[in-house]
Amino acid sequence: MVNRKIELLAPAGDLEKLKFACIYGADAVYIGGQIFGLRASAKNFSIEDMEEGIKFAHERGKKVYVTINIIPHNEDLKELPEYLKKLSELNIDAVILSDPGTLMYVKKYAGDLEIHLSTQANNTNYMSANFWYEQGVKRIVMARELSFGEIKEIRENVPDDLELEGFIHGAMCISYSGRCLLSNYMAGRDANRGECAHPCRWNYYIVEEKRPGEYIPVVEDEKGTYFFNSKDLCMIKHIPEVINSGINSLKIEGRMKSIYYVANTVRVYRKAIDEYMKAPENYNFDSKWLEELKKVSHRKFTTGFYLNKPTEEDQLYASSSYIREYDFIGIVLEYDENTGMALIEQRNRIFKGDNIEVIGPSYEGFNQNIEIILDEKDKEIDVAPHAQQKIKIRMDRPVDKYYILRKKREDD
């Protein structure tokens, strides 16, 4: 029997994603401000959005962690003290950092903040974990390059109140726990300061020294090859092993992903974790959970380093494209129990006659055909083609705000 709380930690690239993550079952979310986070391309949070998001989360018993995990240069440090003071006033639950200098600044300017050590710090052993614990770190976000056996050994050799966090789902980095120089070299964008251009997903050829301009595919494929392109991490089949290895917080990657990705991934892992925690001795993996995860845009899946070191089978050499079998078509804004009509905000084209799937935080969803679509003036229409158009649809079953509509993609 697991005698500790297991946290499901979700990404939130903006305020809307934070709300969906909380509603769909995350225990905590991690967010980035507009500076000092490692996702410069995400919308990220203004101070005002942070205030609203923290209030929303705390009202529902959820926690909010803020990333300040860039590897800073001298110039980055100039804004840090004032930013930390603002964070300290926001009642956030922790900051996630990777740099010793940043940690010193947190202690000096925001000493009340709980500190989590980012995976960027490459923590791979218990002595390093104990060192950070002595500096005041409450949680270690472990390097992705650890096996279950190594994690168990760390857990056995660190204080009980030092929490361990590990990734369970999402994109993998070709570099060691995200410390990548390739983006800086190839595109002049520093991955360690939040501007990664993802050159690991690019297509590469070999050029022989004495034959410049003659591009040779590395494999016998006219497309070339994707040297560094990893499959996505997915540990849904191994929830018992993850929990029993000693991990306290199970982390989903994806601050730049859609609200549909966040909501659906959270609801599936929430279901699996709850089923295991309810009765570990009777737990059985449900293959439908994996099928649900595949209904979100994804690459092929891998278990990363947890079971053994990755091999060529954990790389994708032919393409960096995502597998996308379903379209996210709308979210429910309101529902009228008397008429059965739902106000929908469209996210992809919706047609009268479409067969759709409806999902909500309770995990179980349902299918239905769309028999009628009304525009904002209650005029019947055949298609909703405009981005974020407001429409009304009659639902076969009661729904609620934050429910999501999706449909299977037709073959091109």
Side-chain angles (χ1 to χ4, degrees):
M1 183 70 180
V2 180
N3 58 4
R4 67 186 191 282
K5 179 175 172 55
I6 301 299
E7 177 185 87
L8 179 58
L9 177 57
D14 58 31
L15 183 58
E16 184 179 43
K17 294 170 189 174
L18 179 150
K19 292 179 178 180
F20 272 83
C22 291
I23 293 294
Y24 275 74
D27 297 303
V29 297
Y30 59 102
I31 69 175
Q34 294 175 336
I35 52 177
F36 301 113
L38 271 177
R39 290 294 179 269
S41 298
K43 291 182 181 178
N44 291 323
F45 284 72
S46 65
I47 294 297
E48 293 72 27
D49 283 347
M50 283 189 192
E51 288 177 333
E52 183 178 344
I54 291 164
K55 183 175 184 291
F56 184 93
H58 285 179
E59 285 175 349
R60 291 159 178 80
K62 316 292 187 176
K63 293 183 177 182
V64 179
Y65 310 139
V66 176
T67 59
I68 50 172
N69 60 338
I70 66 167
I71 299 176
H73 290 241
N74 292 331
E75 64 196 56
D76 299 312
L77 297 178
K78 296 173 184 177
E79 296 180 71
L80 188 54
E82 194 60 35
Y83 183 60
L84 289 173
K85 290 175 185 176
K86 289 180 181 178
L87 292 183
S88 183
E89 295 168 359
L90 288 178
N91 195 28
I92 63 172
D93 297 284
V95 289
I96 306 169
L97 56 79
S98 60
D99 173 65
T102 303
L103 185 147
M104 292 176 68
Y105 265 39
V106 170
K107 288 184 175 181
K108 182 175 181 179
Y109 295 103
D112 58 324
L113 291 179
E114 182 173 304
I115 300 171
H116 296 178
L117 187 74
S118 171
T119 191
Q120 284 288 109
N122 307 110
N123 200 114
T124 57
N125 65 78
Y126 56 80
M127 285 302 292
S128 177
N130 283 319
F131 166 82
W132 288 110
Y133 177 78
E134 291 178 3
Q135 310 313 308
V137 169
K138 172 70 173 176
R139 176 184 295 183
I140 302 292
V141 187
M142 294 176 296
R144 288 179 172 91
E145 295 77 20
L146 293 175
S147 67
F148 282 134
E150 290 174 300
I151 295 169
K152 286 180 180 178
E153 190 172 3
I154 291 174
R155 177 74 276 167
E156 292 165 359
N157 288 279
V158 298
D160 290 341
D161 62 338
L162 178 61
E163 298 176 354
L164 301 180
E165 179 179 304
F167 285 91
I168 57 166
H169 194 91
M172 294 285 283
C173 181
I174 193 66
S175 185
Y176 201 87
S177 282
R179 287 190 173 232
C180 186
L181 299 177
L182 194 58
S183 177
N184 204 330
Y185 182 77
M186 301 286 283
R189 291 167 53 180
D190 193 339
N192 299 320
R193 298 171 79 187
E195 298 179 338
C196 187
H198 302 288
C200 56
R201 309 295 181 190
W202 296 354
N203 187 8
Y204 292 90
Y205 291 78
I206 287 176
V207 178
E208 199 273 325
E209 180 184 8
K210 296 182 180 179
R211 288 183 282 182
E214 186 174 336
Y215 301 99
I216 306 167
V218 182
V219 294
E220 294 181 8
D221 185 335
E222 70 279 2
K223 296 177 183 177
T225 189
Y226 296 79
F227 281 114
F228 312 116
N229 187 35
S230 172
K231 294 180 180 179
D232 284 352
L233 181 67
C234 178
M235 296 302 292
I236 192 64
K237 290 184 176 181
H238 302 280
I239 293 301
E241 297 98 312
V242 171
I243 292 174
N244 289 316
S245 69
I247 295 176
N248 301 86
S249 180
L250 282 58
K251 187 173 191 173
I252 297 168
E253 181 276 338
R255 275 194 284 148
M256 296 174 66
K257 300 291 182 65
S258 70
I259 60 172
Y260 171 50
Y261 168 91
V262 172
N264 196 53
T265 306
V266 166
R267 70 191 270 270
V268 173
Y269 277 98
R270 176 81 279 154
K271 178 69 172 177
I273 292 167
D274 288 349
E275 287 296 312
Y276 179 74
M277 297 300 288
K278 182 170 61 180
E281 66 282 0
N282 296 323
Y283 175 83
N284 288 299
F285 168 71
D286 188 338
S287 61
K288 292 180 181 177
W289 300 338
L290 180 59
E291 294 309 308
E292 274 295 316
L293 292 174
K294 289 180 179 179
K295 292 183 179 182
V296 174
S297 180
H298 66 283
R299 300 180 185 91
K300 291 182 178 180
F301 291 136
T302 175
T303 54
F305 288 78
Y306 281 110
L307 301 181
N308 44 52
K309 289 186 177 180
T311 67
E312 65 276 4
E313 295 301 317
D314 297 280
Q315 298 294 107
L316 294 171
Y317 297 110
S319 171
S320 63
S321 300
Y322 283 90
I323 301 167
R324 183 177 166 189
E325 297 177 347
Y326 280 76
D327 283 331
F328 163 40
I329 59 173
I331 58 174
V332 175
L333 301 178
E334 298 174 6
Y335 177 69
D336 187 332
E337 292 183 358
N338 296 318
T339 64
M341 299 294 288
L343 178 64
I344 306 295
E345 183 179 274
Q346 180 259 41
R347 293 302 174 98
N348 270 297
R349 287 193 301 172
I350 303 175
F351 293 87
K352 181 178 178 180
D354 275 345
N355 182 266
I356 64 171
E357 294 184 18
V358 183
I359 62 172
S362 63
Y363 181 74
E364 298 301 333
F366 63 92
N367 288 61
Q368 74 164 69
N369 289 322
I370 297 178
E371 297 178 354
I372 184 171
I373 303 176
L374 303 178
D375 65 15
E376 288 185 274
K377 297 180 180 179
D378 288 335
K379 179 182 177 181
E380 190 166 348
I381 56 177
D382 291 328
V383 59
H386 306 301
Q388 295 186 289
Q389 181 177 357
K390 304 293 194 305
I391 60 174
K392 293 179 182 177
I393 294 175
R394 179 172 287 113
M395 307 304 296
D396 288 356
R397 300 185 194 178
V399 293
D400 207 344
K401 185 178 181 181
Y402 298 109
Y403 274 55
I404 285 175
L405 280 57
R406 68 188 179 198
K407 67 177 179 180
K408 189 170 179 61
R409 303 190 85 187
E410 296 179 0
D411 294 334
D412 295 331

